Amino acid sequence: AQSVTQPDIHITVSEGASLELRCNYSYGATPYLFWYVQSPGQGLQLLLKYFSGDTLVQGIKGFEAEFKRSQSSFNLRKPSVHWSDAAEYFCAVVRPGAGSYQLTFGKGTKLSVIP
Amino acid sequence: IAGITQAPTSQILAAGRRMTLRCTQDMRHNAMYWYRQDLGLGLRLIHYSNTAGTTGKGEVPDGYSVSRANTDDFPLTLASAVPSQTSVYFCASSDAGGTYNEQFFGPGTRLTVL
């Protein structure tokens, strides 16, 4: 079964610092890859997605992610974090051709931002 | 455009009671999903529906049932609630036949079973 690992449960960064959130997946073929953000008390919002092609994808709110097939990773990055980025971030995968298009989520990384 | 609406926003329920969580989407998406979110576990799929009239089991289906009588509505029923079903429930939908498989999420229902 495919799985998604987010090794960092909680990360704290200073405002203006760079950010990298890690995500690894366990599956033989390249799945579809997603990053979602959840602000406190809110639903999930899609930040960016990777299906194929250019391995560096740009998303909303200044986020980007890089797909590395050799490492089975899809890490999320932002050059300069803003206080409003404090939220929980979820990596998710869909196995193409599975028929049901079910998202499998990682357990999430909570981001705290120090002013 | 409302997107996905869920009702109720929150609910406290006595164990053993029956409860239906409602989900409605106005995007004409063919696929809909129910997830539960628990601290430290992320989101886990309960049930899904690829199209009206069909449903399937996800990762944690026990104790839950769903129906999909039409495109827009996908209610989740707890026949006899137990405390372990205390969670935040999210409904989602996607255009599974389209090029991209983005799932759009509702605002969630916070359920407490005592």
Side-chain angles (χ1 to χ4, degrees), chain A residues 2-4 23-27 31-34 74 91-95 101-106, chain B residues 101:
Chain A
Q2 64 188 49
S3 67
V4 182
C23 173
N24 293 94
Y25 63 91
S26 171
Y27 184 67
Y32 297 157
L33 297 156
F34 306 80
F74 188 57
C91 182
V93 305
V94 166
R95 183 163 63 93
Y101 298 99
Q102 298 177 38
L103 273 171
T104 300
F105 284 88
Chain B
N101 187 43

Short mmCIF file of all heavy atoms in Angstrom, two decimals, chain A residues 2-4 23-27 31-34 74 91-95 101-106, chain B residues 101:
data_model
loop_
_atom_site.label_atom_id
_atom_site.label_comp_id
_atom_site.label_asym_id
_atom_site.label_seq_id
_atom_site.Cartn_x
_atom_site.Cartn_y
_atom_site.Cartn_z
N GLN A 2 0.37 2.24 -0.70
CA GLN A 2 1.15 3.46 -0.74
C GLN A 2 1.04 4.17 0.59
O GLN A 2 0.06 4.06 1.30
CB GLN A 2 0.65 4.38 -1.86
CG GLN A 2 -0.75 4.87 -1.69
CD GLN A 2 -1.24 5.62 -2.93
OE1 GLN A 2 -1.09 5.13 -4.02
NE2 GLN A 2 -1.83 6.77 -2.74
N SER A 3 2.10 4.91 0.93
CA SER A 3 2.09 5.68 2.16
C SER A 3 2.81 6.99 1.92
O SER A 3 3.59 7.14 0.97
CB SER A 3 2.75 4.90 3.29
OG SER A 3 4.12 4.74 3.04
N VAL A 4 2.52 7.93 2.79
CA VAL A 4 3.13 9.25 2.73
C VAL A 4 3.72 9.55 4.09
O VAL A 4 3.03 9.42 5.11
CB VAL A 4 2.08 10.32 2.37
CG1 VAL A 4 2.74 11.68 2.25
CG2 VAL A 4 1.37 9.95 1.08
N CYS A 23 8.51 15.67 2.53
CA CYS A 23 7.48 14.68 2.22
C CYS A 23 8.13 13.57 1.41
O CYS A 23 8.78 13.82 0.40
CB CYS A 23 6.34 15.31 1.43
SG CYS A 23 5.12 14.11 0.84
N ASN A 24 7.93 12.34 1.85
CA ASN A 24 8.38 11.18 1.10
C ASN A 24 7.21 10.24 0.89
O ASN A 24 6.33 10.12 1.75
CB ASN A 24 9.49 10.44 1.87
CG ASN A 24 10.74 11.26 1.97
OD1 ASN A 24 10.95 11.97 2.95
ND2 ASN A 24 11.57 11.19 0.96
N TYR A 25 7.18 9.59 -0.26
CA TYR A 25 6.11 8.65 -0.53
C TYR A 25 6.71 7.29 -0.78
O TYR A 25 7.88 7.16 -1.19
CB TYR A 25 5.25 9.12 -1.72
CG TYR A 25 6.01 9.18 -3.01
CD1 TYR A 25 6.06 8.08 -3.87
CD2 TYR A 25 6.67 10.34 -3.38
CE1 TYR A 25 6.77 8.13 -5.05
CE2 TYR A 25 7.37 10.40 -4.57
CZ TYR A 25 7.42 9.30 -5.40
OH TYR A 25 8.12 9.35 -6.57
N SER A 26 5.89 6.31 -0.57
CA SER A 26 6.33 4.94 -0.75
C SER A 26 5.41 4.28 -1.76
O SER A 26 4.31 3.87 -1.44
CB SER A 26 6.28 4.18 0.58
OG SER A 26 6.52 2.79 0.38
N TYR A 27 5.87 4.24 -2.98
CA TYR A 27 5.09 3.60 -4.04
C TYR A 27 5.99 3.38 -5.23
O TYR A 27 6.83 4.22 -5.53
CB TYR A 27 3.87 4.44 -4.42
CG TYR A 27 2.99 3.76 -5.43
CD1 TYR A 27 2.29 2.61 -5.09
CD2 TYR A 27 2.91 4.23 -6.73
CE1 TYR A 27 1.53 1.95 -6.03
CE2 TYR A 27 2.15 3.58 -7.67
CZ TYR A 27 1.46 2.44 -7.32
OH TYR A 27 0.71 1.79 -8.25
N PRO A 31 3.33 8.74 -8.22
CA PRO A 31 1.92 9.11 -8.05
C PRO A 31 1.70 10.58 -8.39
O PRO A 31 2.65 11.30 -8.69
CB PRO A 31 1.70 8.88 -6.56
CG PRO A 31 3.03 9.18 -5.95
CD PRO A 31 4.08 8.78 -6.96
N TYR A 32 0.47 10.99 -8.36
CA TYR A 32 0.18 12.42 -8.38
C TYR A 32 0.47 12.93 -6.97
O TYR A 32 0.14 12.29 -5.98
CB TYR A 32 -1.28 12.68 -8.73
CG TYR A 32 -1.70 12.24 -10.11
CD1 TYR A 32 -3.04 11.96 -10.39
CD2 TYR A 32 -0.78 12.09 -11.14
CE1 TYR A 32 -3.45 11.56 -11.64
CE2 TYR A 32 -1.18 11.68 -12.40
CZ TYR A 32 -2.51 11.42 -12.65
OH TYR A 32 -2.92 11.02 -13.90
N LEU A 33 1.04 14.12 -6.87
CA LEU A 33 1.50 14.65 -5.59
C LEU A 33 0.88 16.00 -5.32
O LEU A 33 0.76 16.83 -6.23
CB LEU A 33 3.03 14.76 -5.60
CG LEU A 33 3.76 13.44 -5.75
CD1 LEU A 33 5.16 13.65 -6.32
CD2 LEU A 33 3.85 12.72 -4.40
N PHE A 34 0.52 16.23 -4.07
CA PHE A 34 -0.17 17.45 -3.69
C PHE A 34 0.36 17.95 -2.34
O PHE A 34 0.81 17.17 -1.51
CB PHE A 34 -1.68 17.20 -3.51
CG PHE A 34 -2.37 16.58 -4.70
CD1 PHE A 34 -2.29 15.22 -4.92
CD2 PHE A 34 -3.10 17.36 -5.57
CE1 PHE A 34 -2.94 14.64 -6.02
CE2 PHE A 34 -3.75 16.80 -6.65
CZ PHE A 34 -3.67 15.43 -6.87
N PHE A 74 8.92 14.98 -2.30
CA PHE A 74 8.18 16.13 -2.87
C PHE A 74 8.15 17.19 -1.79
O PHE A 74 7.15 17.43 -1.14
CB PHE A 74 6.77 15.70 -3.28
CG PHE A 74 5.99 16.73 -4.05
CD1 PHE A 74 6.50 17.26 -5.23
CD2 PHE A 74 4.74 17.16 -3.62
CE1 PHE A 74 5.78 18.20 -5.95
CE2 PHE A 74 4.00 18.09 -4.34
CZ PHE A 74 4.53 18.61 -5.51
N CYS A 91 1.00 16.79 2.98
CA CYS A 91 1.38 16.22 1.70
C CYS A 91 0.40 15.09 1.39
O CYS A 91 -0.06 14.39 2.32
CB CYS A 91 2.81 15.70 1.79
SG CYS A 91 3.46 15.00 0.27
N ALA A 92 0.06 14.90 0.14
CA ALA A 92 -0.90 13.85 -0.22
C ALA A 92 -0.54 13.28 -1.59
O ALA A 92 0.07 13.97 -2.42
CB ALA A 92 -2.33 14.39 -0.22
N VAL A 93 -0.94 12.04 -1.81
CA VAL A 93 -0.66 11.39 -3.09
C VAL A 93 -1.91 10.71 -3.60
O VAL A 93 -2.79 10.31 -2.83
CB VAL A 93 0.48 10.35 -2.97
CG1 VAL A 93 1.72 10.97 -2.38
CG2 VAL A 93 0.05 9.14 -2.17
N VAL A 94 -1.99 10.59 -4.90
CA VAL A 94 -3.01 9.80 -5.57
C VAL A 94 -2.27 8.88 -6.54
O VAL A 94 -1.40 9.34 -7.28
CB VAL A 94 -4.02 10.67 -6.34
CG1 VAL A 94 -4.85 9.81 -7.29
CG2 VAL A 94 -4.93 11.40 -5.38
N ARG A 95 -2.63 7.64 -6.52
CA ARG A 95 -2.01 6.69 -7.45
C ARG A 95 -2.76 6.73 -8.76
O ARG A 95 -3.94 6.40 -8.80
CB ARG A 95 -2.03 5.28 -6.86
CG ARG A 95 -1.34 4.25 -7.73
CD ARG A 95 -1.03 2.99 -6.91
NE ARG A 95 -2.23 2.34 -6.42
CZ ARG A 95 -2.86 1.36 -7.05
NH1 ARG A 95 -2.44 0.96 -8.21
NH2 ARG A 95 -3.94 0.81 -6.51
N TYR A 101 -9.22 7.37 -7.38
CA TYR A 101 -8.63 8.69 -7.13
C TYR A 101 -8.62 9.04 -5.66
O TYR A 101 -8.91 10.16 -5.28
CB TYR A 101 -9.37 9.77 -7.92
CG TYR A 101 -9.28 9.56 -9.41
CD1 TYR A 101 -10.32 8.96 -10.10
CD2 TYR A 101 -8.15 9.95 -10.11
CE1 TYR A 101 -10.22 8.76 -11.47
CE2 TYR A 101 -8.05 9.76 -11.47
CZ TYR A 101 -9.09 9.15 -12.15
OH TYR A 101 -9.00 8.96 -13.49
N GLN A 102 -8.27 8.12 -4.82
CA GLN A 102 -8.27 8.38 -3.39
C GLN A 102 -6.98 9.07 -3.00
O GLN A 102 -5.89 8.63 -3.33
CB GLN A 102 -8.41 7.08 -2.63
CG GLN A 102 -9.71 6.34 -2.90
CD GLN A 102 -9.76 5.02 -2.18
OE1 GLN A 102 -9.29 4.90 -1.05
NE2 GLN A 102 -10.32 4.02 -2.81
N LEU A 103 -7.14 10.14 -2.24
CA LEU A 103 -5.98 10.83 -1.68
C LEU A 103 -5.51 10.11 -0.43
O LEU A 103 -6.32 9.77 0.43
CB LEU A 103 -6.35 12.26 -1.30
CG LEU A 103 -6.25 13.35 -2.36
CD1 LEU A 103 -6.87 14.64 -1.84
CD2 LEU A 103 -4.80 13.58 -2.75
N THR A 104 -4.22 9.88 -0.34
CA THR A 104 -3.62 9.39 0.90
C THR A 104 -2.78 10.52 1.47
O THR A 104 -1.89 11.03 0.79
CB THR A 104 -2.74 8.16 0.64
OG1 THR A 104 -3.55 7.11 0.09
CG2 THR A 104 -2.11 7.68 1.94
N PHE A 105 -3.08 10.89 2.70
CA PHE A 105 -2.43 12.03 3.32
C PHE A 105 -1.31 11.60 4.25
O PHE A 105 -1.38 10.55 4.90
CB PHE A 105 -3.44 12.83 4.15
CG PHE A 105 -4.37 13.68 3.34
CD1 PHE A 105 -5.56 13.16 2.86
CD2 PHE A 105 -4.07 15.00 3.07
CE1 PHE A 105 -6.43 13.93 2.12
CE2 PHE A 105 -4.94 15.79 2.33
CZ PHE A 105 -6.11 15.25 1.85
N GLY A 106 -0.30 12.46 4.34
CA GLY A 106 0.65 12.34 5.43
C GLY A 106 -0.01 12.85 6.71
O GLY A 106 -1.12 13.37 6.69
N ASN B 101 -6.99 16.19 -10.76
CA ASN B 101 -7.78 15.55 -9.72
C ASN B 101 -7.76 16.33 -8.43
O ASN B 101 -7.62 15.77 -7.36
CB ASN B 101 -7.24 14.14 -9.46
CG ASN B 101 -8.13 13.37 -8.51
OD1 ASN B 101 -9.34 13.41 -8.63
ND2 ASN B 101 -7.53 12.70 -7.55
#
